[in-house]
Amino acid sequence: QVHLVESGGGLVQPGGSLRLSCAASGSIFSINVIGWYRQAPGKQRELVATITSGGVPNYADSVKGRFTISRDNAKNTVSLQMNSLKPEDTAVYYCNADVDPYGSRRWFRYWGQGTQVTVSS
């Protein structure tokens, strides 16, 4: 079993910053792509940013230039630095990882429980 635990959400004013972190634990041989999705009330879950094991990031157009994703392969962690936050960034943010638990090159997708980010004055 693999567990993803997010931290760092909260309430911030427009223009402010937050840093989200996600730690993966359990049966992990390697992690391929890891990243963040978000879901606002009444909307579908959407990609925010992901990063490959080689460190190549991918961002949603809505966050490019404001958010930065990074990972530590040795610690199985991923972080999301969010700057210049806007009210439309308000959502529950979910960590997501494609994990090979046993070195068999079979990948399984796991999700965290989510952390709330609220951008409001």
Side-chain angles (χ1 to χ4, degrees):
Q1 187 63 287
V2 173
H3 299 280
L4 303 179
V5 179
E6 302 103 335
S7 61
L11 173 65
V12 64
Q13 292 187 342
S17 298
L18 279 177
R19 186 177 181 86
L20 304 183
S21 296
C22 172
S25 63
S27 181
I28 299 172
F29 180 81
S30 64
I31 298 175
N32 188 9
V33 179
I34 189 169
W36 297 90
Y37 288 69
R38 68 186 180 187
Q39 187 165 19
K43 294 188 177 181
Q44 289 190 331
R45 192 172 296 190
E46 63 177 5
L47 179 146
V48 177
T50 60
I51 186 167
T52 68
S53 57
V56 178
N58 177 47
Y59 296 98
D61 288 342
S62 59
V63 307
K64 282 181 181 177
R66 301 187 297 122
F67 291 10
T68 302
I69 190 169
S70 59
R71 68 185 284 174
D72 185 326
N73 290 334
K75 296 182 179 179
N76 291 328
T77 60
V78 62
S79 296
L80 185 69
Q81 178 65 41
M82 305 186 295
N83 299 327
S84 302
L85 283 160
K86 305 175 181 180
E88 51 264 43
D89 294 318
T90 296
V92 178
Y93 283 69
Y94 296 92
C95 182
N96 168 275
D98 292 335
V99 179
D100 177 357
Y102 309 115
S104 61
R105 300 196 65 79
R106 291 186 63 195
W107 306 93
F108 300 89
R109 176 156 291 185
Y110 293 91
W111 292 91
Q113 292 297 307
T115 185
Q116 177 70 46
V117 171
T118 302
V119 185
S120 175
S121 55

